[in-house]
Every structure is written in C-alpha cells, then in structure tokens.
Amino acid sequence: MYRGGIFMAKKRKNKKKKNTDGGIGFIIKKAAVAAAISVAAFAVLSLIAAFIIYKKDASPESFPIVFLVISGISGIICGIAAVLPIKRNGLVLGMVSTLPAFLVIFAAITAINKTPVSSTGWISLGIMVFCGGIGGIIGNKK
C-alpha cells in the first residue's frame, strides 16, 4: 500500500482457527473422549464397589445391582463430558456417546466372564443410554 511516498506493509493476522464449529469430526472426537472418560469412571467405580463388597463380606449376588448403579453413574458422566464442550444437542449426543463406552465395557466383561449376553447386560445398556441422555441435558445447561 502506498501512502504519501511511504510504502506501508499490511499487518497479517495469524490467527489459527480452532475446530469449534461443531462439525461431525469435532463431535465424534468429543464423543470418543467422553466414552473414554466414562470407561475410566466405570472402572474406578467398579474397583471401589468391589473393595467395599469385599470388606463388608456382602454376598456376591448384590453385585449386579451395584453394576447397574455404576452403569447409570458412568452414563451421566459420559453425557456431561460429551455435551459440555459443544453445548448443543444434549439429549441425542449424550445418548449416542454412551454406546461406544458400553461396547468397551460389555466386551471386557464378556471376555472376563466368558459368558454370552445376560439380561443384566441389556438392562445396563438401557440404563446407560437413559442416564447418558440425562447427563447430556445437564451438560447442555448454559
């Protein structure tokens, strides 16, 4: 640019754009991170519950109920973690983000027990998806 005998250079703005536009790739990454957080929360809560059941000499028959409660808590955590950075589509994204977490947890439990699908596993899927939707609604609050 020329101004009165002086050449002036334009200032360049080197702003890097973050991928916060909510594209499908961004949403998938956030859902995957939320699923990993949910699996970690499930593992930690399961260890704590197993330790408490072991110390109190409770019957092993109570563990499926504890498993369902832990599934609900990890579903809420997953829904919140998935929706918190995006702040939209809370119910749907919260519910969908629990599915990869459930598949990982279910595969690990099936491999350990060497048993086919049980009714407790299918009930925990429903609880996780439902609680994931609730967590998504909670995470969507502005």
Side-chain angles (χ1 to χ4, degrees):
M1 180 160 50
Y2 180 75
R3 269 192 164 168
I6 300 174
F7 284 99
M8 298 179 68
K10 287 186 178 181
K11 291 185 179 180
R12 293 183 185 176
K13 295 181 181 180
N14 291 333
K15 291 184 180 178
K16 292 182 181 179
K17 291 185 178 181
K18 293 183 180 178
N19 190 10
T20 58
D21 58 351
I24 191 73
F26 180 73
I27 292 173
I28 289 173
K29 286 178 188 175
K30 294 303 175 186
V33 168
I37 291 170
S38 177
V39 169
F42 185 87
V44 168
L45 291 172
S46 294
L47 287 173
I48 292 170
F51 182 72
I52 291 172
I53 288 173
Y54 174 73
K55 284 294 183 183
K56 292 198 175 210
D57 289 330
S59 71
E61 290 83 29
S62 65
F63 199 70
I65 295 170
V66 173
F67 171 71
L68 294 175
V69 171
I70 292 171
S71 295
I73 293 170
S74 66
I76 290 173
I77 291 170
C78 186
I80 290 172
V83 175
L84 205 58
I86 299 169
K87 293 286 189 188
R88 62 184 172 114
N89 299 335
L91 180 66
V92 174
L93 188 57
M95 293 174 86
V96 170
S97 65
T98 58
L99 295 177
F102 175 76
L103 291 176
V104 170
I105 292 167
F106 187 71
I109 290 173
T110 303
I112 291 170
N113 291 337
K114 297 179 183 175
T115 58
V117 180
S118 67
S119 61
T120 306
W122 291 114
I123 293 170
S124 70
L125 171 64
I127 289 173
M128 249 179 124
V129 169
F130 177 75
C131 290
I134 291 173
I137 292 170
I138 292 169
N140 200 17
K141 298 285 181 182
K142 295 180 180 177

